[in-house]
Structures are given as structure tokens and as C-alpha cells.
DNA sequence: GTGGTCTAGACCACG
DNA sequence: GTGGTCTAGACCACC
């Protein structure tokens, strides 16, 4: 019931870490449609995070269309078809990748070299273990 | 002769944008060893940026070992072998990529699907024109 | 609780003096892992230094890998093993010493004479009191 | 007749490099009493250094009591007894060393460890070749 | 002219 | 409250 492992040494803001963790949990299917999220207060208390920070993360997730909040009731995972989710994952990945690839191009890295680097990184990250979703 | 296109609305700090642009120019070979950079004041004047901001960017580049500055003389590209540069580019790319790939893995994207996405993004970015290295 | 004695007439920049003082405090174990540093504004207020100058010193310490800063929270001593610290101290000392020894050699000082001078200086500096490590 | 090898990549100011080179040449006996130095113009032309910079170096050497200038005639090495020179070398070395040793002490390095480091650096620098004066 | 330091003060994002 | 960025302007050492 309680997850969220925040790295307080990271330079990524705490609220961004929360957003990312929940986002990835939804994408991977760990959180399912209409499942309730812990209330802001509960999350803040159990994870020892400032309630304002949790609130900001929830707001961000709502803006991303990933959750919906019913005042006085709680926050819930928004229902999505698996196609919609897959599309979102691909779109998110592509956006992040384009920046890096464009930078590589500006650095003069030849297309074939870049592909080699990409595939080697994938092999390295996925090679560690076979659990693709954890 | 005059480059640097700064996006003042970006959330990336101006000094970081300058660092990245010059870094990529060095990596790609557009700026060569011991070539002088525009003086801090000149760059500041021509780009309408505060001299302190330019100075901070130059200082950062010096910390990265990419340029050196001498009071009373100017700032210059530090001499590096092409092997060293290539190594730096690959290391930089790999670091940035690992984060994204790891996130894709946590989202439950299968290895083969991810490879397809990667290659398609590369094709898209490099497809625009055929000058990959300049 | 309050340290830092800055010499405003020294030719060593103020921000460098701050870096050195904190660096030595970490090396000697006076500042321990994850201990909070005074906030930039507090340090600036208590030492009558401009906050920008303190910030620059902290940034430098972060680049050296000695502290980490998080917006909204504060700045903290980075955790290091005592082996790592010892190694850093020795490396720092050796680098500084090599310059002087090389100069002595160029001045024609015989090896044995130099050793005598070195040991006499050590005796003089350490002789003042017997608390070498605190 | 012409020496001076200036490192334009060094962060040590050019005028300081000139001072140090001449100073060490005097200390080691390579330059003898009343020997003439090249004129400022000649030095500047042959070494491709700004005359103002050479002039500043000579002025510094004069302030150090190492040379004397006769307007319209030239600059010369000041006569010193070998005892005086030896004393100066030791005093110069000691001053530079004290700073480093004091810093080591503040870092908590035990006296015996420091001595070991010192002797190992001396061995390393002097071990390379047996010409102590070149 | 060059780069480097320092101050002052404003504004932003984060918790 | 915290750190981070940016501007403005002064002063220094170096060439």
C-alpha cells in the first residue's frame, strides 16, 4: 500500500520524483484505473514529506491527465485504454530522446555510431535482470 | 562569426545554454584548439547578455576542461586529441541515455519495442538533412 | 557554532578562503557527513559577506564533490568514507608540494639539505601545540 | 644567451613566470654577479612578450633586491655572497612550505604521516635524474 | 583592451 | 524559509 522511495540527495525536486514514480507506476500497470491514491495528508505523514509538496505533485499529475480528484473524497487513477497508455509512453520517450539525439547530431556523431551507442545502452540497462516492469 | 541563439523563455538557465552551445561546437570540431573565443564583454554586448552571465558560462567551461582563460589576454579552446573528444561525447551521451532507458524499463516497455522507438527517433532527427557532422 | 575568519586584505579571493576553511573542516572531521551548513543568507549575514559570494563558495564546494545543496532545504556535507577523504588530503598536499620541491631543485638545493629544511618546518609548525588532529 | 620558456597556457601570470625563472637562475648560480640582463626591448622582441610585461618583471626583480638597473645602460645581477643567496633560498622555501604544512595540520594530518608524504615527494622529484641544479 | 572578484538587489522555484 | 539565476555597476590585476 505504501511505496514512494524519495532520494533526498538527488538534485531532482521531491515533487518531480513523486510525479515520476506515480507516472511510471500507471504506465507499467501497477496502478489500475479508478484505484484510489493515498490522501495528501496520509502520503505526507507516512512518507515524511511536506504536504505542500505532495499537493503540488498531485496537481501536476492532474494536469497531465493521469489522475482526477474529487474534493472531499480523494484522488483516483484516471481510466485509460491500454492503447492510450502505450501512446503516451511512446510520446514521452520520443520527446526526451529527440533532445539527446539532436544534441548528438550537433556534436557531429555519425548516425550509425549513435545507433551503436543507443543499442549498447539498452543492452546494458535491460541486461541486468529480466524483470522489465520493476 | 556570430552564433549563440539563446531562448530566454526556456527553463534551462542562460549560462547553461551558452555552455551547451559552445560545448557542442567544440565537440563537432567547429571550434578548434587554441582558437580564441569572443571576449566576455564582446559576447555580452553582441548577445545582449550581462557580462557576469557570460563569465559564469566561461568559468563552467573552464571547469569542464574545455577552455582556458587568461586575464589580460582572453579565453581559448583547450587543446584535446580527437580521441579524448570522442570519448567525452560518448560518455556524455551514454549518461543521458541511461536515465531515459531506465525509465522506459520501469514503465514496462519491452526491450525490442524500445529499440524500435530509439531507431525511429534517430531516423527522424537525422533524416532531415544529410550533414551529420557539420 | 560560528567560525570563518576572512582576511579581506589577502590577495586570495574571499570565496576561495571560504572554500578552503570549509574544506579543511571536512578533511579534519570537524564537519560530518550530512551535517547542514549554515544557509547562504545566514552565513552572509553573520560574516558580513554578500550572499552571492557565499553562494559562489558553496557552488565551488559542490563542484569539488564536498557538499550538496538542495533548493528549499539547504546545503549539506556529502557523505564520504574516511579512506576517500584521506586520499584526497594526500593528493592535495602532494600536488602543492611538488611545485615547491621542483623549484628548490631548480635553485640547486641538494636533496639532503631540502629534507632538513622540510623537517625543520614541520617541527616548527607542529611544535606549537600537540593537538595535531583537532 | 637567450633563455626564458614561458607557458602561455599556465594560469601563472607571464610577468611572474619571468621573475621566477630569473630568480631561480640566480639562486642556482647560472647567472653570476654583475652579469648583464638583456634589455627590456631585446627580451620583449626575442621572446615575443609585451615590453610592459618584461618591464614589470624587471621592476619586481629590482624590488626583490636581485638585480639593479642603470638608466641608459641596462640591468645587472646584484652581487651577493653565496651565504646571502643560500639564506634567501631557505627563507623563500620555508615561507612557501609553512603555508602547506599549516594547512595539512588543520586537515588533521598527523606529524609523522606528513613527514612520510614530504620525503616521498622529494624522492619522487629528485629521483628522476641526478642533476640537482638543472 | 582582457578576465576575475565583489556588492547590491530583484526574481524564481522549492519545501 | 531555502538555493539558483540574472542584472547592474564598481574595482582590481594583467597584457
Amino acid at each position: 500500500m505504501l511505496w514512494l522511495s524519495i532520494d533526498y540527495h538527488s538534485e531532482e525536486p521531491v515533487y518531480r520524483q513523486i510525479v515520476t514514480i506515480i507516472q511510471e507506476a500507471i504506465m507499467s500497470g501497477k496502478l489500475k484505473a479508478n484505484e484510489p491514491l493515498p490522501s495528501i495528508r496520509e502520503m505526507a505523514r507516512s512518507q515524511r514529506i511536506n504536504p505542500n509538496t505532495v499537493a503540488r505533485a498531485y496537481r501536476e499529475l492532474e494536469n497531465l491527465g493521469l489522475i482526477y480528484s474529487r474534493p472531499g473524497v480523494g484522488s483516483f487513477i484516471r481510466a485509460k485504454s491500454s492503447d492510450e497508455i502505450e501512446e503516451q509512453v511512446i510520446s514521452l520517450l520520443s520527446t526526451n530522446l529527440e533532445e539527446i539525439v539532436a544534441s548528438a547530431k550537433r556534436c557531429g556523431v555519425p548516425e550509425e555510431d549513435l545507433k551503436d551507442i543507443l543499442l549498447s545502452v539498452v543492452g546494458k540497462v535491460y541486461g541486468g535482470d529480466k524483470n522489465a516492469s520493476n
Side-chain angles (χ1 to χ4, degrees), chain A:
Chain A
M1 190 47 110
L2 42 103
W3 8 281
L4 276 240
S5 72
I6 301 299
D7 175 11
Y8 284 96
H9 293 31
S10 164
E11 56 183 76
E12 197 179 12
V14 172
Y15 87 94
R16 281 293 302 142
Q17 293 186 49
I18 301 175
V19 168
T20 301
I21 291 172
I22 296 182
Q23 185 175 10
E24 289 176 349
I26 295 174
M27 301 294 194
S28 70
K30 258 191 270 177
L31 290 177
K32 295 190 178 54
N34 298 314
E35 193 170 322
L37 259 57
S39 77
I40 291 178
R41 283 183 199 166
E42 191 187 321
M43 175 81 87
R45 204 184 51 250
S46 65
Q47 307 290 331
R48 295 163 156 269
I49 298 169
N50 187 310
N52 291 327
T53 305
V54 178
R56 165 132 194 217
Y58 278 27
R59 206 186 324 134
E60 211 92 345
L61 285 163
E62 202 164 357
N63 289 340
L64 286 169
L66 292 168
I67 70 174
Y68 61 92
S69 298
R70 293 276 167 273
V73 184
S75 302
F76 304 87
I77 308 299
R78 186 176 287 285
K80 299 245 178 168
S81 73
S82 56
D83 279 2
E84 275 177 312
I85 289 180
E86 194 182 326
E87 194 186 334
Q88 282 193 338
V89 175
I90 293 176
S91 142
L92 186 64
L93 278 176
S94 300
T95 307
N96 291 336
L97 275 169
E98 269 174 33
E99 257 181 73
I100 296 183
V101 174
S103 167
K105 189 183 175 190
R106 284 194 298 271
C107 285
V109 179
E111 186 169 353
E112 292 309 315
D113 290 14
L114 179 57
K115 285 181 183 170
D116 289 347
I117 297 171
L118 287 169
L119 295 180
S120 96
V121 170
V122 173
K124 184 177 158 196
V125 173
Y126 274 79
D129 63 74
K130 288 300 182 185
N131 295 338
S133 60
N134 195 18

